[in-house]
Amino acid sequence: MAYLEIRQTGPLSGTYRVQGSKNAVLPMLAATLLVPGKTTLHRVPKIKDVNVMLEILHLLGCCSCWEGEALTIDAGNVNNWVIPEELIGQMRSSVILLAPILYRMKKAAVVEPGGCSIGRRPIDIHLYVLQALGVKLHYEWEEHIFAQADYFCGAHLFLKFPSVGATEQAILAAVTANGMTVIDNAAREPEISELCRMLRGMGAKITGDQTGRIVIEGVKELFESTCEVGADRIVAATCLSAVAVCSGEITLTGVDASHLNGVIEPFEKMGCKIWSDKDTLTAARMDKLMAIPYLKTSPYPGFPTDVQSLIMAVMSFADGQSVVEEGIFEGRFRTAYQLQKMGAAIIIENNQAIIWGGHLIGTKVEAPDLRGGAALAIAGLGADGVTTIFGYDHIARGYEDLAGMLFMLGAQAALRE
Ligand code: UD1
């Protein structure tokens, strides 16, 4: 059973090229189904979630081929329309495949995903979007959903919450719909623009991504293309968290610093200095780490929920009391209980974590989820002695090599089998 071993580490230094974005590449892989031919994606991260998505694409009839970091999908022979229950259980975001499968097969079937470790994750907005675009839905045995549509019809959509996944679902359906679609209160996360950039390269007509109102004129067909996946802003934030805890100075390459707007400010408030230039970002912490009186996660361009556990780990070493409020997912504080095992002074009250910075001691902990696992590694860098992190499967979902990345930046981190 693989686990991470992290030792207390002094100032970091070094340069690291950030991996391609998990949350960008998954919808891009879903979009490859929209072309009955080949699509090549560059800078594809070699992570478990990509493997699960590939497994589903293979079951649907696609072929794939890796060449270094480039991945080519051939969706010429799609012949299945069911997303297997076991795979949707492993990766809930696979629900965005509904629209592309419907486009190719006129029908699709999926089991509604249940709750998961970071809270209830309903798909009602996905279903609203599909129905509004002309899809007929039938339920069998409560959570088995059968969807059917000969074609999509353009419509005016208003999302009750700017859900990232539901916005992607709407885009993936609307690009080939008859007529015009307007998505109001659309998510503005950079991953939405990444998907739109790829689809425009395939011939789609999309404007307004990043504005909250996306306008799409449906086209008859899309074409073979190649596209590069942007950097993973959450992996970049993981590196910022590491330097915040250890001090020192690190440089990240291949990143778009503008995607980190909501993240940079809180790290600066805590005492980090951050500079960016073209596609590099340098972060340093020389002085004392300071608490943040109040920070709330919110949709982009706000502070991302995916960085909440990471910053909570950093706050565990900061001088003073910090408060973090979770504004997106209920119950995403499971990492706090693991940090408590390391001696962190944290209490959870409803949707808030109150953290008094202090001294942590390395011990055995269990990754509760993907980002929580990375947060425990960050805490381990500042804790006395050795921290052993089990539940590596969660971490492998989104990091190509978390220990290797921290090691390259000067940290004492290793993956053990
Ligand atoms: C994506 C990211 C995830 C990130 C999240 C929020 C991927 C693969 N995952 O997840 O890492 O934490 O955005 O930035 O890109 N909701 C509903 N009904 C729906 C859909 C969502 O109520 O049909 C709610 C969710 O329960 C949650 C909120 O909306 O409370 C945000 O979810 P959403 O933006 O959809 O997140 P995901 O796309 O699942």
Side-chain angles (χ1 to χ4, degrees):
M1 191 179 36
Y3 61 92
L4 287 181
E5 204 174 81
I6 311 283
R7 287 168 197 271
Q8 193 177 39
T9 296
L12 298 183
S13 63
T15 300
Y16 181 73
R17 180 178 173 268
V18 176
Q19 69 181 61
S21 161
K22 168 179 95 70
N23 289 354
V25 77
L26 295 175
M28 287 168 133
L29 284 170
T32 64
L33 285 174
L34 298 175
V35 176
K38 289 184 182 169
T39 306
T40 300
L41 297 175
H42 292 274
R43 202 182 180 182
V44 176
K46 292 201 166 126
I47 52 175
K48 200 174 140 209
D49 273 11
V50 165
N51 291 339
V52 174
M53 186 57 112
L54 279 179
E55 215 178 311
I56 300 175
L57 292 178
H58 292 161
L59 286 170
L60 296 174
C62 299
C63 299
S64 67
C65 167
W66 284 97
E67 233 184 290
E69 289 186 339
L71 177 62
T72 300
I73 306 292
D74 184 344
N77 291 312
V78 172
N79 53 22
N80 193 357
W81 47 277
V82 180
I83 309 176
E85 183 170 353
E86 163 219 335
L87 293 175
I88 198 154
Q90 280 183 47
M91 196 182 59
R92 313 167 52 76
S93 55
S94 50
V95 74
I96 54 166
L97 286 164
L98 276 173
I101 297 175
L102 277 163
Y103 172 66
R104 292 298 296 278
M105 301 297 293
K106 319 279 181 221
K107 54 190 173 182
V110 69
V111 172
E112 191 160 11
C116 82
S117 57
I118 61 168
R120 228 167 42 89
R121 295 181 82 167
I123 57 164
D124 55 322
I125 311 176
H126 290 255
L127 300 181
Y128 152 72
V129 157
L130 290 172
Q131 280 182 306
L133 292 170
V135 177
K136 294 197 169 46
L137 299 174
H138 318 273
Y139 281 84
E140 222 163 87
W141 307 304
E142 286 194 9
E143 64 291 299
H144 285 66
I145 302 168
F146 290 89
Q148 190 268 324
D150 289 337
Y151 50 87
F152 298 112
C153 305
H156 190 157
L157 309 174
F158 179 84
L159 309 191
K160 66 177 184 184
F161 183 87
S163 152
V164 176
T167 302
E168 291 162 351
Q169 184 87 260
I171 294 168
L172 289 167
V175 281
T176 60
N178 285 346
M180 190 83 98
T181 297
V182 177
I183 312 167
D184 270 324
N185 202 28
R188 290 185 284 162
E189 269 68 3
E191 293 75 27
I192 300 290
S193 295
E194 292 266 297
L195 175 63
C196 293
R197 177 169 60 82
M198 172 187 175
L199 289 165
R200 280 192 282 260
M202 293 160 75
K205 293 188 176 163
I206 310 173
T207 54
D209 41 306
Q210 283 184 333
T211 67
R213 165 177 272 214
I214 300 177
V215 180
I216 301 174
E217 193 186 325
V219 293
K220 279 210 161 55
E221 57 180 340
L222 296 168
F223 304 98
E224 293 188 341
S225 68
T226 60
C227 184
E228 177 163 319
V229 181
D232 195 309
R233 61 195 172 104
I234 311 303
V235 172
T238 308
C239 297
L240 294 185
S241 307
V243 78
V245 167
C246 298
S247 79
E249 181 176 315
I250 60 167
T251 298
L252 305 178
T253 62
V255 290
D256 183 339
S258 70
H259 292 172
L260 284 154
N261 280 342
V263 174
I264 287 174
E265 197 190 312
F267 276 94
E268 285 181 332
K269 277 190 187 155
M270 295 185 87
C272 295
K273 300 227 173 335
I274 299 172
W275 313 261
S276 60
D277 177 28
K278 282 195 204 133
D279 64 347
T280 66
L281 186 140
T282 301
R285 207 260 301 163
M286 304 298 173
D287 304 325
K288 206 163 65 172
L289 197 56
M290 287 166 298
I292 300 184
Y294 178 75
L295 181 65
K296 183 177 178 181
T297 66
S298 54
Y300 191 84
F303 186 76
T305 175
D306 288 351
V307 187
Q308 182 250 95
S309 326
L310 289 159
I311 207 154
M312 208 159 60
V314 180
M315 287 165 167
S316 302
F317 299 99
D319 196 26
Q321 178 190 304
S322 301
V323 174
V324 183
E325 182 167 332
E326 175 52 51
I328 310 282
F329 289 109
E330 57 183 90
R332 204 180 201 182
F333 282 124
R334 296 191 349 156
T335 312
Y337 304 111
Q338 299 297 316
L339 291 170
Q340 283 169 349
K341 279 197 203 168
M342 299 172 73
I346 304 181
I347 58 167
I348 305 297
E349 274 177 6
N350 303 316
N351 266 0
Q352 290 192 342
I354 303 156
I355 304 137
W356 292 270
H359 191 77
L360 268 59
I361 299 166
T363 185
K364 290 180 179 164
V365 285
E366 177 83 28
D369 54 56
L370 163 58
R371 304 304 170 188
L376 294 172
I378 297 302
L381 295 174
D384 279 352
V386 183
T387 301
T388 309
I389 303 156
F390 296 100
Y392 185 71
D393 264 8
H394 286 299
I395 296 169
R397 281 189 46 217
Y399 292 86
E400 285 188 324
D401 179 9
L402 179 61
M405 173 180 95
L406 296 172
F407 182 79
M408 278 182 70
L409 294 172
Q412 296 194 61
L415 175 64
R416 308 266 183 231
E417 298 292 337

